[in-house]
Amino acid sequence: MADPTGLVFNVQRFSIHDGPGIRTTAFLKGCPLRCFWCHNPEGVYPRLEVQFHSSRCIGCGECARICPQGAQELLPSGERVYHRERCITCGECVEACFAESLQITGREVSVSGLLREILADRVFYETSGGGLTLSGGEPMLQPEFSLALLAACKAEGLQTAIESTLLCRWELIEAALPLTDLFMVDIKHLDDARHRAATGVSNRPILENIARLARTGKPVIFRTPVVPGVNDTPAEVGAIAAFISGLALGRPGGLKGLSYELLAFHRLAEEKYHSLGLEYPAAELIPPSKEQMAALLEAASAHLTAVRGR
Amino acid sequence: MEPPAPLTYSDRLDALRAAKLAQTAEKQALLGAMDHDDWGLILPPPERRKVVRTLSSSGMPITDCTLEGYEPVPNHPSGGFFGPRAAGENFRRLLDAHPVYLDPLSSLAGGYMVNFMSYRKPHWNPDLSAGEFAAEIERYRLLPGIGATQHFCQDLQIGLELGWGGLLKKIRHYRWLNAPRGEDFYAGLEAVVLGVQGWIARHAAEAARLAESEPDAALRLNLEEIAAINARLVNEPPRTFREACQWILWFQVTARMYNGSGSLGRLDVLLQPFYQRDLAAGVLDDEEAVFHIACLLLRDTAYIQLGGPDAAGNDQTGPLSFLVLEAGHRLRIPANVGVCVGENTDPRLLRRAVEIQFADRAGYPKFLGIDRTAQGFARLGYPIELGRQRAYSGCHWSAIPGREYTLNDCVKINFARIFEVAFDEMLADTASQPSTAALLQRYTAHLERAIEVTARCIGFHLEHMHAVFPELVLDLACHGPIELGEDASHGGVEFYNLCIDGAALATVADSFAALEQRVEQEGRLTWQEVQAHLRANWAGPEGERARLMLKSVPRYGSGGSRADEYAIGLARIFAERVAGARTPQGCRLVPGLFSWANTIPMGQDVGATPNGRFAHDPISHGANPDPGFRQDGAPTALAAAIAAVQPGYGNTAPMQIELDPTITREEGGVEVVESLIRTHFLLGGTQINLNVMDAEKVLAAHRDPTLYPDLIVRVTGFSAYFASLSPRFRQLVVDRIISGA
């Protein structure tokens, strides 16, 4: 039987923020959006990458000795330099780095292999009503793998959820529908120009897919990452909530099964950017205050009852 | 002017808590770090304080405060006092010298200020030599239990029925019946009861005296009630709920003062008849009941079980289970209350317990896998009814109230030291080729020898302890010692199931896995290189690289790794060998996995280990994987790993778990934690110590403990004020919590 492989950058057990109960979240690598504040920069590109955590380096020089490309260098001063442009991501330096200063982000896994990891917590899913969440990146950038994994989980009787940008062909979402109990979908902005500016892509195909998804009657948790200067005004959040409320029309069961979460931007990803050799574009942003989040929740609550913040 | 509103129970608890915090600050200033259970000890008045270095009742060196003006009378050239008569009479003199403690805001009188154990110098009678075991105790750095006290559970029901007067009568009856046998023992018991009676009577008198000058009418009434209750309790058994709380408190502080006993057992079951009677008579409501229980918990951090089955398996969870839980919640001081979680246990108890964990973030309460421990006990060959009767009453342990002598938590084998002996022996044997298989064989042989030596040491203890320092307080509320004229440590009770705990499981499992992968499979290091690095304590850049190389193999807890397999194998070898061994008297030995607060001293006994641990650093905590065992630190992985290494004979291998407080804000967070707890027990787990802790707050408190004087953490089986712990001990807790977050 075919056993497709996929590229994941993290498999997190006891995941409790991405759907009900105790879950395992598999994060797939590669994303069609380029949100400048992204909390998971290691999930953006669909390829293996080397992360260099300079603070963990013990200066043993083993990586420099072993690198066939001369990408790793230990200067006489003791300073370690990583010439990323020379790197072919062969991973030999990572193998030799016991300080875990160099790490490969991205792992090729088969559906059957990942399923084994997921099933390690089966009993916890059963007692808590949890299961698998596919997240990313964007799971639908690896559709064959994602659909096969969802099918394999369903065959095992697990609850499944997808966290998706919905920036993909509708046919893929349609194929996922019978295999998925819950969708989690971001709405970053309703204004297309603002959406493009913040994420690099138009929101039109996303909103179209959202509308179609809502009409299927599937439970959906909509989420807005509240990012300063992007979407952090009551008017913007209120508009999104009103949009969600409007989805009830033409949906079996109306608003039932639709909810909305506001997730506050945070700066915990900064080190990850540096480890990937990237500038941190959100360096100037200040996470929204509790008061601000409360005001936004209130704005959303004017249109929806199932609203929560985090 | 309008008179001030009378104080509510809530006001009174706030004031009592504030007083407790002030007393704790005073203790911290006088005694320094206290790496143990908070206890409820109150310092003596300033003019009567004498600071000494001594051993705690758990055998740890501590700084303690004794009472100026009291010295025990020795009966031995060593300067010590030994035997029941000397112990009883000296204890009575201490009770006579002990100051009265009354807080007019509390509904209960009494509080203890001194540990009798701190006067026992030497602890062991030098005439009774355990010299034949000395070399091997030293070689394996065993904690063999010789001279250990308490750590079993009395049956308070006996005392609640008889009262102190009834106990005295019972002693005198059997003293007459068995004469002249047990003469010294009975003299010792009598002295204890007489001492307690005098102590209570002095409180009654003092309460009456204070009442006369108390301006506040409500507090005056309270003091008058305390006076009347205690005047009665000098002789009579308790009749009301409040009297029962007061009686239990007297027993508890007496036992605590005598030799550190913190075993209380099933408080909800014990108080149930008093509660129902008072409720029916209309003289008690739930608010008042909670207040009396809180006043009891305030004065002693006793170990208490809530809910759980009776002998027949019927759940005993009742309204009082919830009220005791509530009392600890309202009090918000260190408390050691365990909530039963079982197939038939009322699920609302677990729900409320998790809600309180979320609300208080004080490591309160803990969780008991009652079905597993009862079933495990039955594997020793006992009927399961007996297993169900074992009551949770100490850090990680249970015992049948009044019928079982256990030395629970007192006897430890440090796997890391056994490993070190085996490793050095293998490398010294130039005739044989080193391998992990050969190492495991040698390790097992040394472990077997360590168990054998420990069993003989326990036998030695059982033979002599009664003549050194008998269990004069716990004996009073046991079935047998008074009747037979024999101390509980010497045949006075029905069952002898002696604990042997293993420690450093993760340290050793990870060491085996590291050697297998890096030396045997990958050939990155030779055995001799590893040994050289261990001896040099990983010195130099090469040493550090080797250390990180060995440390970075998949560890116990990661799930399905070789280290996980080693942990399961090592735990099984230990459990089977212990369960198969006997003391020379033929007593059973029961395996557990628990290091208690000994992770630091046990670590000091061991050089560097191949899991990348530095020489003399702490060993791993109980049955837990080391912090950082997985990148995601998944509690499910932790729960599955620890469930898989359970010894399985009724004694526990607790899971110590730290959860990030973000879970409290998650919709369904309570249910998730409930599910985690239930599933751990379903998989075979036996006990859970949980902290829901804000890592930032703990880090700030570590830097400056004065910032959060009321921060409480569940250190291990016990909880304590974080500020009371030594920096080194705080670091251990911080490492765990950071890793959990």
Side-chain angles (χ1 to χ4, degrees):
Chain A
M1 212 176 108
D3 192 8
T5 59
L7 189 65
V8 301
F9 68 93
N10 191 12
V11 177
Q12 193 182 343
R13 288 166 69 175
F14 197 73
S15 174
I16 52 168
H17 305 301
D18 293 311
I22 296 174
R23 314 188 70 82
T24 294
T25 301
F27 293 89
L28 275 65
K29 201 157 162 23
C31 184
L33 272 63
R34 293 291 180 272
C35 310
F36 71 88
W37 65 88
C38 180
H39 287 165
N40 289 322
E42 74 278 32
V44 172
Y45 297 102
R47 58 169 188 262
L48 299 180
E49 291 172 275
V50 172
Q51 285 182 284
F52 173 45
H53 306 280
S54 56
S55 63
R56 297 186 202 158
C57 179
I58 58 167
C60 71
E62 193 61 19
C63 52
R65 200 181 61 73
I66 214 165
C67 178
Q69 298 295 113
Q72 304 289 358
E73 195 181 357
L74 183 67
L75 301 178
S77 65
E79 192 194 342
R80 270 269 292 104
V81 187
Y82 173 31
H83 304 282
R84 201 172 282 275
E85 69 285 358
R86 296 183 201 161
C87 179
I88 56 167
T89 331
C90 66
E92 290 202 22
C93 60
V94 173
E95 281 286 297
C97 182
F98 302 116
E100 294 169 357
S101 167
L102 290 163
Q103 288 180 314
I104 280 263
T105 179
R107 175 163 66 103
E108 192 88 25
V109 282
S110 65
V111 166
S112 61
L114 185 51
L115 182 67
R116 262 199 305 281
E117 288 182 46
I118 292 164
L119 290 178
D121 279 349
R122 178 203 280 272
V123 61
F124 294 96
Y125 312 144
E126 286 168 0
T127 54
S128 70
L132 167 79
T133 298
L134 267 186
S135 181
E138 170 50 58
M140 287 309 169
L141 277 189
Q142 302 183 52
E144 193 194 0
F145 177 75
S146 292
L147 293 171
L149 184 65
L150 289 170
C153 288
K154 271 288 148 221
E156 290 289 343
L158 303 190
Q159 297 281 311
T160 55
I162 298 186
E163 192 175 17
S164 169
T165 62
L166 292 195
L167 184 58
C168 62
R169 288 183 294 120
W170 168 251
E171 290 70 28
L172 295 177
I173 301 164
E174 199 170 29
L177 282 174
L179 308 171
T180 308
D181 300 298
L182 169 70
F183 282 77
M184 283 169 274
V185 181
D186 274 11
I187 303 179
K188 275 129 188 162
H189 213 290
L190 283 187
D191 180 89
D192 192 36
R194 300 288 303 276
H195 195 274
R196 280 171 193 270
T199 71
V201 302
S202 164
N203 65 6
R204 288 200 185 127
I206 296 174
L207 296 178
E208 275 169 31
N209 280 337
I210 285 175
R212 293 179 81 165
L213 176 63
R215 283 200 294 275
T216 65
K218 273 281 167 191
V220 186
I221 299 174
F222 293 100
R223 292 170 153 180
T224 297
V226 176
V227 182
V230 173
N231 54 16
D232 63 339
T233 64
E236 287 162 309
V237 166
I240 295 173
F243 170 80
I244 295 168
S245 171
L247 295 171
L249 284 171
R251 173 181 162 89
L255 270 181
K256 187 168 175 288
L258 299 183
S259 62
Y260 185 37
E261 292 183 349
L262 298 178
L263 313 180
F265 160 79
H266 62 69
R267 305 183 42 129
L268 299 176
E270 184 164 4
E271 197 278 336
K272 291 198 279 190
Y273 279 84
H274 298 317
S275 75
L276 290 161
L278 301 170
E279 288 290 311
Y280 183 46
E284 306 300 319
L285 296 191
I286 297 162
S289 65
K290 273 183 188 165
E291 294 71 27
Q292 199 182 351
M293 287 301 286
L296 295 179
L297 276 175
E298 201 184 316
S301 302
H303 306 278
L304 285 169
T305 48
V307 179
R308 46 196 305 275
R310 205 189 281 150
Chain B
M1 204 176 85
E2 219 175 299
L7 292 171
T8 63
Y9 288 132
S10 173
D11 297 334
R12 286 165 71 177
L13 276 185
D14 287 345
L16 288 165
R17 185 187 315 108
K20 159 93 180 172
L21 273 170
Q23 288 162 350
T24 304
E26 222 184 339
K27 280 200 281 184
Q28 288 163 350
L30 186 73
L31 305 176
M34 293 172 275
D35 285 342
H36 48 71
D37 189 324
D38 175 75
W39 305 330
L41 185 136
I42 300 157
L43 288 173
E47 69 282 4
R48 296 193 64 187
R49 291 174 191 173
K50 188 173 159 189
V51 176
V52 295
R53 283 295 289 172
T54 182
L55 286 181
S56 78
S57 62
S58 298
M60 299 279 260
I62 56 164
T63 301
D64 198 14
C65 180
T66 57
L67 198 60
E68 189 70 62
Y70 165 79
E71 284 300 331
V73 179
N75 67 348
H76 189 271
S78 64
F81 61 91
F82 304 110
R85 187 185 290 271
E89 289 175 354
N90 276 318
F91 187 59
R92 181 180 178 182
R93 279 193 283 274
L94 177 60
L95 288 170
D96 290 345
H98 194 290
V100 163
Y101 184 82
L102 278 166
D103 187 325
L105 292 169
S106 172
S107 63
L108 307 178
Y112 85 105
M113 300 181 174
V114 65
N115 294 301
F116 186 45
M117 293 282 279
S118 296
Y119 291 99
R120 293 182 54 221
K121 287 179 183 167
H123 268 218
W124 193 256
N125 184 338
D127 299 343
L128 304 167
S129 170
E132 60 177 305
F133 310 117
E136 284 178 294
I137 290 175
E138 174 58 22
R139 181 179 200 196
Y140 298 123
R141 308 289 201 280
L142 300 172
L143 294 179
I146 296 174
T149 61
Q150 42 103 7
H151 291 92
F152 62 106
C153 186
Q154 75 292 312
D155 182 359
L156 285 170
Q157 191 59 39
I158 294 174
L160 290 171
E161 282 170 16
L162 294 178
W164 296 103
L167 285 171
L168 190 61
K169 216 166 138 187
K170 180 176 169 185
I171 294 164
R172 286 177 174 161
H173 169 75
Y174 283 101
R175 186 177 191 170
W176 169 81
L177 199 68
N178 290 331
R181 202 169 52 78
E183 187 51 31
D184 275 8
F185 178 62
Y186 287 118
L189 292 176
E190 267 201 48
V192 170
V193 175
L194 291 169
V196 172
Q197 287 181 311
W199 195 32
I200 298 173
R202 282 190 291 127
H203 282 78
E206 179 66 8
R209 195 184 66 78
L210 287 177
E212 282 172 21
S213 55
E214 174 58 56
D216 181 285
L219 296 184
R220 185 164 60 246
L221 179 63
N222 182 46
L223 286 164
E224 285 166 358
E225 286 167 351
I226 288 175
I229 287 169
N230 284 287
R232 239 195 123 255
L233 290 184
V234 169
N235 273 302
E236 300 303 315
R239 294 167 305 183
T240 64
F241 185 83
R242 182 175 177 183
E243 285 179 3
C245 289
Q246 177 71 76
W247 199 93
I248 290 172
L249 179 58
W250 285 124
F251 189 91
Q252 193 50 47
V253 291
T254 303
R256 180 73 77 170
M257 188 155 50
Y258 180 71
N259 64 0
S261 175
S263 64
L264 207 163
R266 304 186 69 165
L267 185 61
D268 51 353
V269 174
L270 289 162
L271 288 176
Q272 184 67 17
F274 298 95
Y275 172 73
Q276 278 170 340
R277 211 179 305 147
D278 282 11
L279 216 56
V283 295
L284 181 74
D285 59 30
D286 283 354
E287 277 300 295
E288 187 184 344
V290 166
F291 182 70
H292 295 320
I293 297 163
C295 289
L296 169 58
L297 299 182
L298 179 69
R299 294 285 169 250
D300 194 272
T301 48
Y303 292 81
I304 292 167
Q305 170 177 330
L306 298 180
D310 63 6
N314 301 313
D315 182 33
Q316 298 298 291
T317 306
L320 258 181
S321 316
F322 292 90
L323 296 184
V324 176
L325 193 58
E326 198 61 28
H329 166 55
R330 302 236 188 125
L331 197 53
R332 252 186 13 261
I333 66 165
N336 297 304
V337 173
V339 163
C340 284
V341 181
E343 210 179 320
N344 298 327
T345 318
D346 187 339
R348 288 171 301 177
L349 194 60
L350 173 60
R351 170 63 52 96
R352 183 66 193 133
V354 175
E355 286 171 355
I356 289 174
Q357 268 278 0
F358 278 24
D360 294 359
R361 301 190 190 173
Y364 171 88
K366 51 186 287 167
F367 304 91
L368 313 172
I370 191 71
D371 297 337
R372 293 289 163 267
T373 45
Q375 287 156 2
F377 192 67
R379 284 183 68 213
L380 291 170
Y382 294 114
I384 188 139
E385 288 76 9
L386 271 181
R388 293 185 187 123
Q389 286 175 71
R390 281 188 125 202
Y392 173 71
S393 40
C395 259
H396 76 310
W397 54 267
S398 303
I400 307 168
R403 296 168 68 192
E404 187 185 16
Y405 184 76
T406 51
L407 286 181
N408 280 325
D409 209 5
C410 300
V411 184
K412 309 271 177 212
I413 294 180
N414 181 351
F415 296 163
R417 177 58 192 165
I418 306 287
F419 177 90
E420 188 174 47
V421 169
F423 185 89
D424 288 345
E425 183 189 78
M426 181 176 78
L427 271 290
D429 182 356
T430 49
S432 74
Q433 185 63 32
S435 69
T436 48
L439 182 59
L440 185 60
Q441 211 168 18
R442 287 177 195 265
Y443 168 87
T444 306
H446 284 293
L447 179 70
E448 285 171 355
R449 182 60 195 160
I451 292 169
E452 169 65 23
V453 173
T454 305
R456 290 176 59 199
C457 289
I458 293 173
F460 179 83
H461 170 92
L462 292 174
E463 195 179 333
H464 298 296
M465 188 60 184
H466 71 109
V468 177
F469 188 62
E471 297 290 345
L472 293 182
V473 179
L474 298 187
D475 279 340
L476 294 171
C478 281
H479 302 273
I482 296 176
E483 293 85 339
L484 300 170
E486 284 288 4
D487 183 43
S489 73
H490 196 244
V493 293
E494 202 175 342
F495 301 106
Y496 287 79
N497 298 304
L498 285 311
C499 148
I500 298 187
D501 285 333
L505 181 68
T507 305
V508 174
D510 291 347
S511 293
F512 268 108
L515 292 168
E516 187 177 290
Q517 184 178 328
R518 298 304 194 196
V519 178
E520 288 188 320
Q521 289 171 359
E522 298 172 358
R524 290 181 194 262
L525 291 167
T526 66
W527 287 96
Q528 286 69 26
E529 282 168 344
V530 172
Q531 187 181 37
H533 286 309
L534 294 178
R535 287 189 173 159
N537 197 19
W538 316 106
E542 274 310 298
E544 179 59 4
R545 187 159 188 278
R547 189 180 82 80
L548 293 171
M549 181 195 296
L550 289 160
K551 191 171 183 240
S552 58
V553 306
R555 286 194 261 165
Y556 162 51
S558 58
S561 69
R562 282 296 288 150
D564 283 286
E565 290 169 18
Y566 270 113
I568 292 169
L570 293 167
R572 187 179 306 137
I573 291 170
F574 173 71
E576 286 171 3
R577 300 301 194 278
V578 170
R582 298 286 182 277
T583 71
Q585 297 91 339
C587 297
R588 279 197 159 282
L589 300 165
V590 190
L593 289 173
F594 191 59
S595 51
W596 189 68
N598 278 305
T599 47
I600 290 178
M602 280 185 160
Q604 280 161 350
D605 280 343
V606 185
T609 39
N611 63 330
R613 176 186 148 277
F614 286 104
H616 318 306
D617 268 7
I619 56 165
S620 55
H621 180 102
N624 267 58
D626 268 333
F629 63 97
R630 273 177 68 92
Q631 207 181 356
D632 61 9
T636 50
L638 183 76
I642 295 173
V645 299
Q646 293 294 320
Y649 290 93
N651 282 8
T652 68
M655 168 163 78
Q656 173 77 43
I657 182 164
E658 328 293 334
L659 292 178
D660 186 273
T662 53
I663 199 166
T664 63
R665 297 193 291 272
E666 210 52 49
E667 197 177 301
V670 169
E671 289 84 351
V672 161
V673 173
E674 269 183 40
S675 158
L676 184 68
I677 291 167
R678 274 195 190 287
T679 311
H680 178 60
F681 293 148
L682 197 71
L683 293 172
T686 43
Q687 205 171 97
I688 298 174
N689 296 313
L690 169 67
N691 284 304
V692 178
M693 242 355 109
D694 184 340
E696 291 296 319
K697 184 172 179 180
V698 172
L699 274 174
H702 186 33
R703 283 190 295 270
D704 180 5
T706 59
L707 285 179
Y708 299 104
D710 56 351
L711 177 65
I712 299 164
V713 293
R714 184 150 298 279
V715 177
T716 158
F718 63 81
S719 69
Y721 287 114
F722 191 68
S724 291
L725 304 173
S726 66
R728 194 151 186 210
F729 219 95
R730 291 205 307 266
Q731 186 65 52
L732 278 187
V733 176
V734 165
D735 288 347
R736 274 182 357 218
I737 288 171
I738 298 300
S739 158

